[in-house]
Amino acid sequence: MRAVECGACGNQVLCVKYSPAHTAVQWTEEAAAVCPRIAARVAAGEPSARVRACAALRDSIDAAVAAGELEVTGAW
């Protein structure tokens, strides 16, 4: 797993890319406490367990792959 920083809020998560479509993300802290987009959805009443993603973080992971900072391993 490699650290990836969100370009929007600076939060850092650990990621591994098994394929172009499969990304594993491990939050290093409670997502609703460190991600303003997830926190806003939780504050609006959505259970944190149902908030699966943050578009800004997804963009940051895609940018890390494009820059060669996070490689697609092709293996589980």
Side-chain angles (χ1 to χ4, degrees):
M1 295 198 110
R2 307 278 297 175
V4 175
E5 184 175 305
C6 178
C9 72
N11 180 43
Q12 194 172 67
V13 296
L14 299 175
C15 294
V16 63
K17 288 285 290 176
Y18 295 113
S19 72
H22 184 185
T23 305
V25 176
Q26 180 178 343
W27 291 83
T28 56
E29 297 182 48
E30 177 62 35
V34 297
C35 175
R37 289 181 169 91
I38 292 176
R41 291 174 65 180
V42 171
E46 190 170 351
S48 63
R50 296 214 180 255
V51 181
R52 295 277 185 194
C54 169
L57 179 60
R58 167 60 48 206
D59 291 345
S60 297
I61 292 169
D62 290 345
V65 171
E69 298 165 2
L70 180 65
E71 62 183 70
V72 177
T73 64
W76 294 67

